[in-house]
Amino acid sequence: MKKEEILEMSRKENKKRNLAEIEIEKQGIKYASMGVIILATIYFCLEIVITGKTNGGLYSVIALYCAMFFGYKGLKTKRKLPLICGIIWTLVTIVLIVQYVQTIFAGAI
């Protein structure tokens, strides 16, 4: 293969974006995700401290994010630890969703 052919294939793969831009987007996603997780955790803890109640719906969104992140990472890298973390987070997500739905039907929200 010639250098020009390789470059053309790379451009098609990356949709005419350069690698620096792709890496910047990846980093932005990581920081945004961490910010969302931290803020949601602060809200979750404040709600427990101030009202004595928990909002499983709020934290189920964060648990779902973690389940998808670790599950995807575990499947793609074929590593056991991220896959186990993904399964645990999936179970946590299910428990929180069930708790939240039960709370809604009980009329406690």
Side-chain angles (χ1 to χ4, degrees):
M1 250 188 211
K2 292 182 180 179
K3 184 178 176 180
E4 291 80 25
E5 291 173 358
I6 295 170
L7 283 172
E8 185 60 34
M9 286 174 51
S10 176
R11 285 187 189 111
K12 285 180 184 177
E13 254 182 50
N14 295 321
K15 298 177 186 172
K16 302 200 186 237
R17 296 183 336 185
N18 63 26
L19 265 106
E21 183 180 332
I22 292 169
E23 281 301 312
I24 289 169
E25 285 180 8
K26 281 184 184 179
Q27 286 298 100
I29 290 168
K30 287 179 187 178
Y31 290 130
S33 299
M34 287 306 299
V36 168
I37 290 171
I38 291 168
L39 188 60
T41 302
I42 291 169
Y43 288 164
F44 187 73
C45 293
L46 280 174
E47 188 170 22
I48 291 170
V49 170
I50 294 170
T51 67
K53 298 178 183 177
T54 60
N55 183 344
L58 173 66
Y59 214 72
S60 69
V61 173
I62 301 306
L64 177 63
Y65 168 82
C66 292
M68 293 177 71
F69 174 78
F70 285 111
Y72 182 78
K73 183 177 180 178
L75 290 172
K76 288 296 183 180
T77 62
K78 307 276 194 256
R79 290 177 31 210
K80 289 184 182 181
L81 184 61
L83 192 57
I84 291 169
C85 288
I87 291 168
I88 291 169
W89 276 111
T90 300
L91 295 173
V92 170
T93 302
I94 293 168
V95 168
L96 288 168
I97 290 171
V98 168
Q99 179 223 3
Y100 185 66
V101 170
Q102 287 176 341
T103 305
I104 290 173
F105 282 115
I109 292 184

